[in-house]
Amino acid sequence: MGQPVDWSPWEILEEVSDFSPEGFRETLLGGQAFRWLEKESAVYEGIWEDSWIRLRCKDNGRVEFAFPRAHPVSSAAVKNYLGFHLPWQTLTDQLPFRSDPALDSAMFAFPGLRILQQPAGETLLSFLCSSNKQIVQIRQMHEALARELGTPLWRGAPVSRLPTWPILAEASEEDLLRCRLGYRAKLVKGTATYLTEHPGFLESIEDFSTEEARVALQELPGVGPKVADCVLLFGYQRLDAFPIDTWILKILEEAYGLFGWSRKQLEQFVQAHFGKLGGLAQQFLFAQARAGRKR
DNA sequence: AGCCAGGTGGCTA
DNA sequence: TAGCCACCTGGC
């Protein structure tokens, strides 16, 4: 489709001493975002909004990026997306791994794992698509949404950005069904309508406390506690949001012995045990759980 | 060939 | 509040 893309030379982003190939890989492919793929060993290509870049992490922890010459992306934008402005080493050091063997082993397995700083609108769309789906399938939905309803990154570009909420509000449920959304189509459509009727809703979330934001987000059709927490953690940079999905539930039961606890009880445990950076701890535990299941 | 997936919403007791 | 079930669909 169209001209081959001419990529810029690799540009050094930063030397990150605490990164590991595993941590880097998991950050991009582990289910925080769904438009990343591994092009070749340790070289990743991904899209968010209208940015399209390649990333690689050398063994020494040096992170480099490249962009299509036709459509430059600033290093500042990439650094922001990767959360380089946050003191991850300090943050991870504050997690309770010293008294928590499960967390300790997860952190040991994925050094440098971090939380991407994604745009809220796209994150909401992503996790509306995520219910009852595996990462592969969520990724396919994203490709279809971008292809069918999104706009090309530039004139003649081979890839498109995801449809914005105004575009989704105009789209028909049939359009969304074509993107393999299944029963999620009407949820996305309903959310798009809600956002049209409540201009500034997504922005207003920024001023809310995490707890208030959690309640507000659940006004949207298709958004329950799990999706709300994912949107807050990945899309609003709320590191205290702790999504409880089936993987984490299994860990809380097996590694922490919390069989039979109610959702509310689990939330209280998580808050008390993992604290204000719970979402970061959650990602380590999640990565560990997924790794363990692969064999 | 089925089964099941990083949930949610509606309904019942 | 807790428990149960339908919901679209396509990898594995």
Side-chain angles (χ1 to χ4, degrees):
Chain A
M1 16 211 301
Q3 302 295 312
V5 175
D6 185 19
W7 288 84
S8 73
W10 290 103
E11 186 173 320
I12 300 174
L13 206 56
E14 194 165 303
E15 310 276 355
V16 190
S17 57
D18 62 322
F19 252 140
S20 67
E22 295 76 21
F24 194 67
R25 182 172 208 281
E26 188 66 20
T27 300
L28 297 174
L29 304 182
Q32 296 187 37
F34 302 97
R35 298 201 73 193
W36 284 93
L37 46 88
E38 191 166 13
K39 292 294 283 184
E40 54 190 87
S41 179
V43 178
Y44 305 90
E45 193 172 300
I47 302 167
W48 74 95
E49 293 190 322
D50 71 341
S51 297
W52 183 21
I53 64 169
R54 287 181 174 176
L55 279 174
R56 66 181 182 190
C57 179
K58 302 288 194 64
D59 288 334
N60 61 8
R62 173 194 283 191
V63 178
E64 300 176 331
F65 83 108
F67 50 81
R69 286 186 191 277
H71 195 69
V73 179
S74 72
S75 66
V78 179
K79 284 186 175 184
N80 182 61
Y81 181 81
L82 294 174
F84 278 8
H85 55 293
L86 292 176
W88 293 100
Q89 218 149 273
T90 307
L91 297 178
T92 50
D93 192 58
Q94 290 171 35
L95 297 177
F97 62 92
R98 294 176 182 82
S99 60
D100 182 337
L103 181 58
D104 185 59
S105 109
M107 287 171 63
F108 183 76
F110 297 93
L113 175 60
R114 5 180 113 180
I115 307 294
L116 295 173
Q117 314 278 296
Q118 303 181 67
E122 289 196 345
T123 309
L124 174 59
L125 175 59
S126 290
F127 286 91
L128 275 174
C129 292
S130 73
S131 78
N132 260 299
K133 283 294 176 196
Q134 333 190 82
I135 292 176
V136 216
Q137 299 170 314
I138 302 169
R139 187 170 285 139
Q140 290 171 353
M141 290 185 210
H142 280 65
E143 288 325 300
L145 281 166
R147 187 178 58 243
E148 302 288 329
L149 301 171
T151 44
L153 292 192
W154 66 88
R155 191 177 171 75
V159 299
S160 296
R161 62 180 288 169
L162 288 170
T164 59
W165 284 107
I167 290 178
L168 290 166
E170 293 298 317
S172 68
E173 197 176 318
E174 286 172 355
D175 291 331
L176 295 170
L177 286 173
R178 250 202 311 284
C179 300
R180 310 176 172 186
L181 263 63
Y183 68 84
R184 301 156 199 82
K186 62 176 181 299
L187 304 177
V188 168
K189 192 61 191 152
T191 289
T193 303
Y194 184 102
L195 293 178
T196 305
E197 291 168 354
H198 302 260
F201 176 84
L202 290 178
E203 293 75 14
S204 71
I205 296 288
E206 293 167 15
D207 302 324
F208 293 173
S209 70
T210 301
E211 199 41 51
E212 292 168 337
R214 221 165 163 259
V215 172
L217 283 171
Q218 289 180 66
E219 291 299 310
L220 302 170
V223 179
K226 193 276 180 181
V227 170
D229 283 332
C230 284
V231 174
L232 287 170
L233 178 58
F234 304 131
Y236 285 99
Q237 293 76 50
R238 300 298 178 96
L239 294 181
D240 52 335
F242 191 106
I244 299 180
D245 53 51
T246 54
W247 289 101
I248 292 298
L249 178 60
K250 206 158 54 176
I251 295 175
L252 290 175
E253 289 175 341
E254 292 170 4
Y256 297 84
L258 310 183
F259 290 98
W261 285 41
S262 72
R263 185 173 182 100
K264 191 165 197 113
Q265 290 171 324
L266 291 173
E267 285 172 3
Q268 285 171 356
F269 169 84
V270 154
Q271 157 79 9
H273 181 65
F274 297 107
K276 304 308 288 176
L277 300 172
L280 184 55
Q282 192 267 13
Q283 277 303 288
F284 281 107
L285 294 172
F286 183 72
Q288 180 81 321
R290 287 182 66 241
R293 155 253 189 181
K294 281 180 184 165
R295 46 198 114 285

